[in-house]
Amino acid sequence: MTLTASRRLPLLTAFLLFSGFAPFALAAPVLMISVDGMKPEYVTQADAHGLRIPYLRSLMRDGAYADGVTGVWPTVTYPSHTTMITGVPPATHGILSNTLFDPDRALYGAWYWYTSQVRVPTLWQAAHAAGLRTASIGWPVSVGAPADSIDWLIPEYWRGPSPGATAGPSDRELIAAISRPDNMLDEMQQRLGPYMMGNETSIEILRAHKPAFMTIHLSSLDETEHQHGPFSPEANRTLEALDAMVARLAAAAREADPSTVVLVVSDHGFVQITHHVNLRISFLKAGLIQMSTEANPDDRSIVGWKAMPWFSGGMAAIMLHDPNDEASAKQAGELLHKVAADPRNGIAAVLDRDEIRKRGGFPNAAFVAVFQSGYYPGDEETGDLVTPIAGSRGGHGFSPEFPEMRSSFFLVGPGIAAHRDLGLIDMLQIAPTVAAILNVSLPTATATPLHVQR
């Protein structure tokens, strides 16, 4: 992780001094690890949950940490990870949800996979432009990242409707084909075994190539929490296994360069899910969505729509077929407020265009319906509007103003203050803080960097 003279940026240094952030004496390499779905309480209240996570707990003692991170609209994986790598909200960077809006069901559940969909500079680009070597493993929205941003790339991508904590054989072949350099992942798997998202391949890249900035996304905790709920025995066991993995990654980074700063973050919190809200039923009954009337009961294709919910975890953006259709907008708004008037329907708030704009999400939505904590979108198109959920399930995507949605931030390394409680921070502050540690310029990220140095 060699530092070069080209990395000294007088303008950035002047800005940081002016803003009250004393820059690092020397630019430091950064290993940024995202533990998807890790609520801060997993670490800050580990004893209360009976968790054995020695490495993650050591970060509170040895480094700077937040009591919680206020996320973005919506609090789901892809917009959040893109904010952490750009320092701007979803309405600015362009990754508005996990999945694309697909009212005609023609995209087969496609996600925002591609870096070309990001509309602002990233930390990878800023680091690369400063002459640093970069790497990324499994980070959302990294497919097709150009060579002038990421040198060693294994993106997150999969076949089928949803991600998994481990890639199957078909997925591994696909990921290998879109990784960089060519044949890198194939050669690694021959020596190290199958790629499992964050296993030996990450350590190999750290040791062999010594990237000055590396991002790694670990998704297994999120998968377990969706299936069993937060702080379930299954989720706790998963995090205990991840603790050992994160410790090994940090050790490999420090072995490659002792000056490395390790940042452990997460993208959102989690809550227990108790009910489904089948909001499409109300839109169908109102005639805002028209379904096929064919005799075949299996044919539920959409033949027309005026207003459509775009679900993103615990909220729904209401999109208009014609953005200028004021009559349909009025009808949809009245429908939403009528549903929200009964607390049993699980709608906490209905935001209009001006309120949405202020929050930095869904710039083209006519409304956003924010669900109550524990109420989640349902897929039913007939029957009851609200249905209970059997068993233990978890979810996220609710308003970032809900404390349960707060994510994590733990930072440790040479020059980082020990046992510094940063309180509640904003997710927009993460990217400029990383840029300051790397000593690279990311002018589009305008939030104030965190005061983390000694």
Side-chain angles (χ1 to χ4, degrees), residues 281-407:
I281 292 174
S282 296
F283 280 72
L284 284 160
K285 288 180 177 179
L288 291 167
I289 303 173
Q290 298 85 44
M291 305 292 291
S292 171
T293 58
E294 296 291 332
N296 181 1
D298 295 328
D299 182 7
R300 298 291 296 168
S301 59
I302 294 173
V303 296
W305 62 282
K306 298 177 181 178
M308 176 79 72
W310 179 12
F311 297 116
S312 191
M315 64 180 66
I318 309 305
M319 310 299 290
L320 297 179
H321 189 277
D322 177 0
N324 298 315
D325 184 353
E326 293 300 328
S328 294
K330 183 174 184 292
Q331 184 183 3
E334 291 173 349
L335 181 157
L336 290 171
H337 284 290
K338 182 178 179 180
V339 172
D342 186 343
R344 294 173 296 180
N345 291 334
I347 304 296
V350 178
L351 308 182
D352 62 21
R353 283 189 175 97
D354 289 339
E355 293 169 315
I356 297 165
R357 190 177 302 111
K358 292 175 184 176
R359 288 162 171 80
F362 298 115
N364 299 317
F367 303 95
V368 167
V370 182
F371 294 176
Q372 295 175 23
S373 182
Y375 286 73
Y376 223 48
D379 295 326
E380 299 300 325
E381 293 167 344
T382 60
D384 294 332
L385 174 63
V386 179
T387 54
I389 295 176
S392 180
R393 294 288 187 272
H396 53 89
F398 298 89
S399 166
E401 296 165 5
F402 293 0
E404 307 98 302
M405 288 297 101
R406 291 172 183 166
S407 57

Side-chain angles (χ1 to χ4, degrees), residues 420-438:
R420 174 168 293 169
D421 186 347
L422 301 169
L424 182 63
I425 69 171
D426 193 304
M427 189 171 282
L428 297 176
Q429 295 179 278
I430 293 176
T433 300
V434 173
I437 296 170
L438 290 168

Side-chain angles (χ1 to χ4, degrees), residues 263-284:
L263 172 59
V264 178
V265 294
S266 67
D267 47 354
H268 51 70
F270 250 92
V271 295
Q272 199 77 21
I273 301 300
T274 59
H275 293 80
H276 276 144
V277 181
N278 302 297
L279 194 57
R280 279 199 194 94
I281 292 174
S282 296
F283 280 72
L284 284 160

Side-chain angles (χ1 to χ4, degrees), residues 23-359:
F24 284 75
L26 286 174
V30 175
L31 171 62
M32 184 174 179
I33 303 171
S34 170
V35 181
D36 199 311
M38 185 174 72
K39 294 167 67 72
E41 294 86 356
Y42 275 110
V43 182
T44 61
Q45 300 174 20
D47 284 339
H49 300 287
L51 281 157
R52 297 181 296 274
I53 48 172
Y55 180 74
L56 290 171
R57 293 187 66 168
S58 76
L59 301 180
M60 291 181 64
R61 180 192 66 229
D62 299 335
Y65 65 95
D67 296 328
V69 180
T70 300
V72 296
W73 291 75
T75 51
V76 296
T77 297
Y78 276 40
S80 299
H81 277 86
T82 308
T83 288
M84 288 191 286
I85 209 75
T86 63
V88 300
T92 303
H93 61 55
I95 308 304
L96 304 179
S97 184
N98 284 342
T99 56
L100 301 173
F101 181 52
D102 184 20
D104 300 318
R105 302 176 180 177
L107 302 178
Y108 303 100
W111 287 46
Y112 280 95
W113 283 307
Y114 307 104
T115 307
S116 60
Q117 295 167 305
V118 180
R119 301 194 304 232
V120 295
T122 65
L123 281 169
W124 299 312
Q125 291 169 303
H128 209 277
L132 305 182
R133 292 177 290 189
T134 58
S136 185
I137 308 294
W139 199 267
V141 201
S142 62
V143 175
D148 65 355
S149 63
I150 304 177
D151 295 299
W152 294 276
L153 170 66
I154 304 176
E156 179 169 90
Y157 196 73
W158 61 86
R159 293 159 55 90
S162 62
T166 58
S170 178
D171 286 322
R172 286 195 291 270
E173 297 239 356
L174 179 59
I175 292 169
I178 58 177
S179 296
R180 190 174 53 247
D182 291 345
N183 302 317
M184 173 189 70
L185 187 54
D186 285 333
E187 190 275 332
M188 281 184 167
Q189 290 185 111
Q190 291 174 12
R191 291 188 292 106
L192 305 172
Y195 170 63
M196 302 294 283
M197 297 188 183
N199 64 348
E200 299 300 324
T201 52
S202 301
I203 293 175
E204 172 81 1
I205 289 172
L206 281 164
R207 289 173 173 165
H209 302 295
K210 299 177 173 57
F213 178 53
M214 183 171 184
T215 53
I216 300 174
H217 174 222
L218 305 175
S219 62
S220 58
L221 178 63
D222 176 90
E223 292 289 318
T224 307
E225 288 175 306
H226 276 297
Q227 295 169 5
H228 302 285
F231 301 114
S232 61
E234 294 85 354
N236 288 354
R237 285 195 295 270
T238 298
L239 185 59
E240 288 174 348
L242 285 171
D243 180 78
M245 180 184 297
V246 172
R248 292 186 63 216
L249 290 167
R254 293 276 173 74
E255 177 185 321
D257 189 324
S259 68
T260 297
V261 171
V262 176
L263 172 59
V264 178
V265 294
S266 67
D267 47 354
H268 51 70
F270 250 92
V271 295
Q272 199 77 21
I273 301 300
T274 59
H275 293 80
H276 276 144
V277 181
N278 302 297
L279 194 57
R280 279 199 194 94
I281 292 174
S282 296
F283 280 72
L284 284 160
K285 288 180 177 179
L288 291 167
I289 303 173
Q290 298 85 44
M291 305 292 291
S292 171
T293 58
E294 296 291 332
N296 181 1
D298 295 328
D299 182 7
R300 298 291 296 168
S301 59
I302 294 173
V303 296
W305 62 282
K306 298 177 181 178
M308 176 79 72
W310 179 12
F311 297 116
S312 191
M315 64 180 66
I318 309 305
M319 310 299 290
L320 297 179
H321 189 277
D322 177 0
N324 298 315
D325 184 353
E326 293 300 328
S328 294
K330 183 174 184 292
Q331 184 183 3
E334 291 173 349
L335 181 157
L336 290 171
H337 284 290
K338 182 178 179 180
V339 172
D342 186 343
R344 294 173 296 180
N345 291 334
I347 304 296
V350 178
L351 308 182
D352 62 21
R353 283 189 175 97
D354 289 339
E355 293 169 315
I356 297 165
R357 190 177 302 111
K358 292 175 184 176
R359 288 162 171 80

